[in-house]
Structure formats: structure tokens, C-alpha cells
Amino acid sequence: MTTTTAPSAQDETFLRTAIATAAKSRAAGNHPFGALLVLDGEQVLEAGNTVVSEGDATGHAETNLVRLATRTYDRDTLARATLYTSTEPCAMCAGAVYWSGIGRIAYALGEDELLALTGANPENPTMALPCRDVLAAGQRPVDVVGPCLHVEAAAVHAGFWA
């Protein structure tokens, strides 16, 4: 199950931070994706993409963040948390968020918009599977906000997938 709300001003602020984290990932030689965890209005964790630097196909920003989050916080705390991400979580990452117990996702660039940017680039074989569809198959609700900030979120990808 998923529910949907419109992004707040606070959501947009944290999404811009996630986009900045994506820019850091790109500058470090990785794919341009970034994520952060917010609890009670405060950013507590941040993670970038490490697919290239770690040689791990599962090193997506969201999955890296979930790994940190589940080692740091219990499920009751994570249920109150929001995972902010520069791009809509892929099926793998949406599943990781679901299993972690994180209660809310907010994303900037949609998976369909990412596919339009990456095309058939073998570095990012994007799946046409919205995170809402993945989460809807679950037994607990996850609030999902996005897409939003399209232009800002797409800018970090400019020229990367060419």
C-alpha cells in the first residue's frame, strides 16, 4: 500500500540536499544519485551512489542509506523517518526501503524521466517500474511524494549518460 501527499517546502529543501549529494557522487566518479534520511525534521544520514567506486551493482544511494539506517535505528524510529532521494527508487531500492520499515519516501526525478535521460545506456538499465507499484504489493503503507523539482534533479545528470 502507498499513500501520496504533495511535497512541502521542507520536502523541497531536503530534496535539494539529496540532489547536492548526487552531484557529490558524480564528482567522485559514481553515478549521480544521492539520498538522505530525515528524522523529526533533522537530517541524520546521507549516502551517495557507490556502484563504480565499490564495484557493487547494488551500491545505489538508497540501498546504501538503508544499510546505514537499519544499523543505526530501530524499526519504530525508522517508521517516523523520511528517505529523500534525488531520483525515484528503483525496484531494488523500493524493496529495501519497504523491508527497512522506513515510513516515507520523497523523490525528485521520476524513474520515467531518468529513462528518458539514460536511454539504453548499459550503465543504468532503468526498469519501467514505479516505486509506488513495488510498495503497493506490500503489507504496510509507505507514504510516497514525488516527482518534483524536475529541472533541478535532471541537471545533475546533464551529459553524464552520453
Side-chain angles (χ1 to χ4, degrees), residues 10 20 39 50 58 67 71 76 81 86 95-96 101 110 112 121 134 146 153 160:
Q10 178 176 304
L39 278 168
T50 57
T58 68
R67 288 179 185 126
R71 286 193 299 257
D76 289 338
S86 61
D112 58 336
N121 190 305
V134 174
F160 186 84

mmCIF file of all heavy atoms in Angstrom, residues 10 20 39 50 58 67 71 76 81 86 95-96 101 110 112 121 134 146 153 160:
data_model
loop_
_atom_site.group_PDB
_atom_site.id
_atom_site.type_symbol
_atom_site.label_atom_id
_atom_site.label_comp_id
_atom_site.label_asym_id
_atom_site.label_seq_id
_atom_site.Cartn_x
_atom_site.Cartn_y
_atom_site.Cartn_z
ATOM 1 N N GLN A 10 9.561 22.000 3.252
ATOM 2 C CA GLN A 10 10.628 21.228 3.891
ATOM 3 C C GLN A 10 11.063 20.073 2.995
ATOM 4 O O GLN A 10 12.263 19.804 2.868
ATOM 5 C CB GLN A 10 10.165 20.693 5.239
ATOM 6 C CG GLN A 10 11.213 19.838 5.936
ATOM 7 C CD GLN A 10 10.793 19.380 7.318
ATOM 8 O OE1 GLN A 10 10.477 20.199 8.158
ATOM 9 N NE2 GLN A 10 10.776 18.081 7.536
ATOM 10 N N ALA A 20 22.174 17.609 -4.230
ATOM 11 C CA ALA A 20 23.570 18.003 -3.996
ATOM 12 C C ALA A 20 24.424 16.774 -3.669
ATOM 13 O O ALA A 20 25.583 16.682 -4.097
ATOM 14 C CB ALA A 20 23.648 19.031 -2.870
ATOM 15 N N LEU A 39 14.804 12.526 10.279
ATOM 16 C CA LEU A 39 14.002 12.147 11.451
ATOM 17 C C LEU A 39 13.593 13.419 12.178
ATOM 18 O O LEU A 39 14.454 14.256 12.494
ATOM 19 C CB LEU A 39 14.817 11.288 12.402
ATOM 20 C CG LEU A 39 14.927 9.812 12.094
ATOM 21 C CD1 LEU A 39 15.996 9.167 12.962
ATOM 22 C CD2 LEU A 39 13.590 9.132 12.305
ATOM 23 N N THR A 50 27.575 4.269 -4.963
ATOM 24 C CA THR A 50 28.938 3.729 -4.931
ATOM 25 C C THR A 50 29.111 2.567 -5.909
ATOM 26 O O THR A 50 30.016 1.742 -5.732
ATOM 27 C CB THR A 50 29.302 3.260 -3.505
ATOM 28 O OG1 THR A 50 28.341 2.278 -3.078
ATOM 29 C CG2 THR A 50 29.340 4.422 -2.523
ATOM 30 N N THR A 58 24.747 -3.225 -6.453
ATOM 31 C CA THR A 58 23.688 -2.851 -5.511
ATOM 32 C C THR A 58 24.023 -1.584 -4.724
ATOM 33 O O THR A 58 23.283 -1.214 -3.812
ATOM 34 C CB THR A 58 23.387 -3.994 -4.516
ATOM 35 O OG1 THR A 58 24.513 -4.173 -3.652
ATOM 36 C CG2 THR A 58 23.041 -5.279 -5.239
ATOM 37 N N ARG A 67 21.055 0.561 4.399
ATOM 38 C CA ARG A 67 22.015 -0.233 5.175
ATOM 39 C C ARG A 67 22.489 0.539 6.406
ATOM 40 O O ARG A 67 22.560 -0.010 7.508
ATOM 41 C CB ARG A 67 23.209 -0.631 4.306
ATOM 42 C CG ARG A 67 22.888 -1.685 3.275
ATOM 43 C CD ARG A 67 24.115 -2.024 2.426
ATOM 44 N NE ARG A 67 23.767 -2.953 1.376
ATOM 45 C CZ ARG A 67 24.011 -2.747 0.086
ATOM 46 N NH1 ARG A 67 24.615 -1.647 -0.328
ATOM 47 N NH2 ARG A 67 23.653 -3.644 -0.804
ATOM 48 N N ARG A 71 21.281 -0.212 10.558
ATOM 49 C CA ARG A 71 22.330 -0.477 11.556
ATOM 50 C C ARG A 71 22.300 0.563 12.680
ATOM 51 O O ARG A 71 22.851 0.331 13.752
ATOM 52 C CB ARG A 71 23.707 -0.466 10.898
ATOM 53 C CG ARG A 71 23.992 -1.702 10.066
ATOM 54 C CD ARG A 71 25.462 -1.809 9.688
ATOM 55 N NE ARG A 71 25.940 -0.698 8.890
ATOM 56 C CZ ARG A 71 26.142 -0.727 7.569
ATOM 57 N NH1 ARG A 71 25.892 -1.832 6.891
ATOM 58 N NH2 ARG A 71 26.591 0.319 6.938
ATOM 59 N N ASP A 76 10.856 1.131 14.968
ATOM 60 C CA ASP A 76 9.903 2.150 15.405
ATOM 61 C C ASP A 76 10.393 3.543 15.029
ATOM 62 O O ASP A 76 9.604 4.397 14.623
ATOM 63 C CB ASP A 76 9.674 2.073 16.917
ATOM 64 C CG ASP A 76 8.876 0.841 17.326
ATOM 65 O OD1 ASP A 76 8.157 0.271 16.470
ATOM 66 O OD2 ASP A 76 8.973 0.441 18.496
ATOM 67 N N ALA A 81 10.623 8.064 9.897
ATOM 68 C CA ALA A 81 11.634 8.695 9.046
ATOM 69 C C ALA A 81 11.158 8.877 7.611
ATOM 70 O O ALA A 81 10.288 8.153 7.126
ATOM 71 C CB ALA A 81 12.911 7.854 9.051
ATOM 72 N N SER A 86 17.311 11.825 -4.750
ATOM 73 C CA SER A 86 17.375 12.665 -5.947
ATOM 74 C C SER A 86 16.574 12.086 -7.103
ATOM 75 O O SER A 86 16.132 12.831 -7.983
ATOM 76 C CB SER A 86 18.832 12.862 -6.374
ATOM 77 O OG SER A 86 19.445 11.617 -6.679
ATOM 78 N N GLY A 95 12.193 -1.912 -2.574
ATOM 79 C CA GLY A 95 12.093 -3.089 -1.724
ATOM 80 C C GLY A 95 12.914 -2.945 -0.455
ATOM 81 O O GLY A 95 12.458 -3.297 0.636
ATOM 82 N N ALA A 96 14.116 -2.396 -0.578
ATOM 83 C CA ALA A 96 14.968 -2.197 0.598
ATOM 84 C C ALA A 96 14.317 -1.216 1.575
ATOM 85 O O ALA A 96 14.330 -1.443 2.791
ATOM 86 C CB ALA A 96 16.344 -1.700 0.173
ATOM 87 N N GLY A 101 11.471 -0.672 7.008
ATOM 88 C CA GLY A 101 10.460 -0.079 7.870
ATOM 89 C C GLY A 101 10.369 1.431 7.766
ATOM 90 O O GLY A 101 9.569 2.054 8.468
ATOM 91 N N GLY A 110 11.575 11.446 -11.550
ATOM 92 C CA GLY A 110 10.857 10.191 -11.705
ATOM 93 C C GLY A 110 11.666 9.165 -12.478
ATOM 94 O O GLY A 110 12.522 9.513 -13.292
ATOM 95 N N ASP A 112 10.648 7.332 -14.876
ATOM 96 C CA ASP A 112 10.382 7.519 -16.305
ATOM 97 C C ASP A 112 11.203 8.668 -16.881
ATOM 98 O O ASP A 112 11.683 8.595 -18.013
ATOM 99 C CB ASP A 112 8.887 7.729 -16.555
ATOM 100 C CG ASP A 112 8.314 8.915 -15.795
ATOM 101 O OD1 ASP A 112 8.873 9.330 -14.755
ATOM 102 O OD2 ASP A 112 7.274 9.435 -16.243
ATOM 103 N N ASN A 121 21.550 3.223 -22.084
ATOM 104 C CA ASN A 121 22.900 3.190 -21.547
ATOM 105 C C ASN A 121 23.071 1.959 -20.649
ATOM 106 O O ASN A 121 22.334 1.784 -19.682
ATOM 107 C CB ASN A 121 23.183 4.465 -20.747
ATOM 108 C CG ASN A 121 24.640 4.591 -20.369
ATOM 109 O OD1 ASN A 121 25.204 3.697 -19.763
ATOM 110 N ND2 ASN A 121 25.247 5.704 -20.717
ATOM 111 N N VAL A 134 5.827 -1.110 -6.643
ATOM 112 C CA VAL A 134 6.552 -2.053 -5.795
ATOM 113 C C VAL A 134 5.986 -2.000 -4.381
ATOM 114 O O VAL A 134 5.663 -3.033 -3.785
ATOM 115 C CB VAL A 134 8.066 -1.738 -5.785
ATOM 116 C CG1 VAL A 134 8.807 -2.627 -4.789
ATOM 117 C CG2 VAL A 134 8.657 -1.877 -7.187
ATOM 118 N N GLY A 146 6.343 12.611 -4.821
ATOM 119 C CA GLY A 146 7.188 12.819 -5.995
ATOM 120 C C GLY A 146 6.462 12.370 -7.237
ATOM 121 O O GLY A 146 5.422 11.715 -7.162
ATOM 122 N N ALA A 153 16.628 18.305 -10.564
ATOM 123 C CA ALA A 153 17.040 16.904 -10.446
ATOM 124 C C ALA A 153 17.671 16.393 -11.734
ATOM 125 O O ALA A 153 18.622 15.603 -11.687
ATOM 126 C CB ALA A 153 15.843 16.047 -10.060
ATOM 127 N N PHE A 160 26.031 13.202 -18.392
ATOM 128 C CA PHE A 160 26.628 12.033 -17.745
ATOM 129 C C PHE A 160 26.410 10.754 -18.539
ATOM 130 O O PHE A 160 27.310 9.926 -18.644
ATOM 131 C CB PHE A 160 26.058 11.851 -16.327
ATOM 132 C CG PHE A 160 26.745 10.743 -15.569
ATOM 133 C CD1 PHE A 160 27.921 10.970 -14.889
ATOM 134 C CD2 PHE A 160 26.203 9.457 -15.548
ATOM 135 C CE1 PHE A 160 28.564 9.947 -14.202
ATOM 136 C CE2 PHE A 160 26.834 8.425 -14.863
ATOM 137 C CZ PHE A 160 28.023 8.677 -14.198
#
